[in-house]
Amino acid sequence: MSPAELAPAHRPRYGELVARLAFVPEEEEANQALYGLRDWAQYTPAAGSALVDVYADLASPLSVYRAGYGLTELAQSGLPHPLGGATPGSLLHDAVDRLLVLIAAGEPEGGGRDGDLPARRRLDSLLGSTIRDPRMCAVLARQLAAEPAATATRTALLVRAIDLEAAEPELLLSLRELTAAIEGRPVLAARVAEDVEEAHRYGRPLAGPGAAPTAIRVLSGEGGLVEGLLAVGLATALGTRLDWPESLRTTVVELRRHPEPEVRDAAYATDLGRR
């Protein structure tokens, strides 16, 4: 049954029953219960806790995809904490914490019976491209900051944390967090710059370039390779998305005079012709 099929007074008790059924020995019945936990989570805490327990249990035979989908859907549902969002104490935050503990403890690798880095793979899947809200991505990226093994997942979140419609201080903060995460790693910086361009060149219409050209100039003006590559990636993405307004054409031309040759080459490779 769905919550809508029950009178409100009965929903919490029925939701608790569904949450318990997710752990019965019969796998088919348990998976069937698991599919409904997202809908019951707002009526009983047991349903949300069950999603976290299943997802963080690397030995569980149940549908990891379904549990992860339920967690990310609840996080982005607009429901109040602890169901919604990713701040400490939320369901999604708790699931990430439990996986980080497993990663820090050391994982099996090599693809034998115990798998190959199972907690890391599960974390990557949970925090993949389905989470798009920039603020939520920023919160999750900060949660991963202390775990070196999660750098790739963290940088992917920081790329999505860039909000092109944000005011200059907020936009610069997100860009600086990204540059700090990849500082000293030029190969990663080049890949992340490509990710920035790919992630932000399409999307809902923007009224204009906003604070981005100024933020890009500030970033480029610091003279570093990492900052320069990200500046080119962001300028190219926004220019393509807005059909190259003059402010962004000028920004890319300025980047062609950058002190780092790799940055200059990337800027010269950007075609400033209108799309």
Side-chain angles (χ1 to χ4, degrees):
M1 297 180 72
S2 71
E5 295 175 275
L6 284 179
H10 300 307
R11 291 172 188 169
R13 285 191 303 129
Y14 195 90
E16 290 176 7
L17 172 63
V18 176
R20 289 199 299 271
L21 287 172
F23 298 99
V24 298
E26 294 78 17
E27 188 175 327
E28 184 177 346
E29 285 79 359
N31 265 315
Q32 187 174 347
L34 180 65
Y35 294 159
L37 288 180
R38 180 196 62 173
D39 297 328
W40 291 103
Q42 62 183 301
Y43 301 106
T44 174
S49 296
L51 284 172
V52 176
D53 289 343
V54 170
Y55 199 82
D57 181 2
L58 302 181
S60 174
L62 302 185
S63 171
V64 173
Y65 165 78
R66 178 57 60 177
Y69 175 79
L71 288 169
T72 55
E73 284 290 296
L74 285 170
Q76 300 175 95
S77 66
L79 290 169
H81 185 278
L83 298 177
T87 55
S90 67
L91 295 177
L92 185 59
H93 190 280
D94 288 351
V96 170
D97 258 357
R98 289 173 62 170
L99 291 171
L100 287 174
V101 168
L102 294 172
I103 293 170
E107 290 200 83
E109 56 182 312
R113 184 179 63 181
D114 295 323
D116 183 39
L117 305 173
R120 190 186 305 196
R121 309 289 182 215
R122 198 162 291 193
L123 182 69
D124 290 344
S125 178
L126 183 64
L127 302 182
S129 59
T130 56
I131 299 176
R132 303 299 303 178
D133 178 77
R135 293 183 185 276
M136 189 177 297
C137 288
V139 169
L140 291 166
R142 289 167 194 146
Q143 187 179 359
L144 304 185
E147 178 48 69
T151 296
T153 308
R154 183 181 175 222
T155 55
L157 286 165
L158 288 171
V159 167
R160 302 200 301 275
I162 298 171
D163 184 356
L164 296 178
E165 296 181 288
E168 183 183 334
E170 184 180 343
L171 181 55
L172 271 173
L173 175 62
S174 63
L175 290 170
R176 291 194 191 286
E177 283 192 83
L178 182 53
T179 57
I182 58 178
E183 191 61 49
R185 300 185 60 177
V187 175
L188 177 60
R191 188 165 69 244
V192 169
E194 294 175 356
D195 291 343
V196 167
E197 181 182 347
E198 182 65 27
H200 294 285
R201 69 189 303 169
Y202 303 111
R204 58 189 179 83
L206 299 172
T214 302
I216 292 168
R217 287 192 181 95
V218 171
L219 202 64
S220 171
E222 296 176 358
L225 173 63
V226 171
E227 292 85 353
L229 289 174
L230 289 179
V232 173
L234 190 57
T236 302
L238 194 56
T240 303
R241 190 162 167 179
L242 293 173
D243 198 18
W244 289 108
E246 193 60 35
S247 61
L248 287 166
R249 290 172 179 270
T250 302
T251 299
V252 173
V253 171
E254 290 171 353
L255 284 163
R256 292 173 178 175
R257 313 293 184 262
H258 195 275
E260 290 284 350
E262 288 84 357
V263 176
R264 296 197 299 269
D265 286 348
Y268 275 117
T270 300
D271 183 358
L272 297 178
R274 292 185 180 276
R275 300 292 190 266

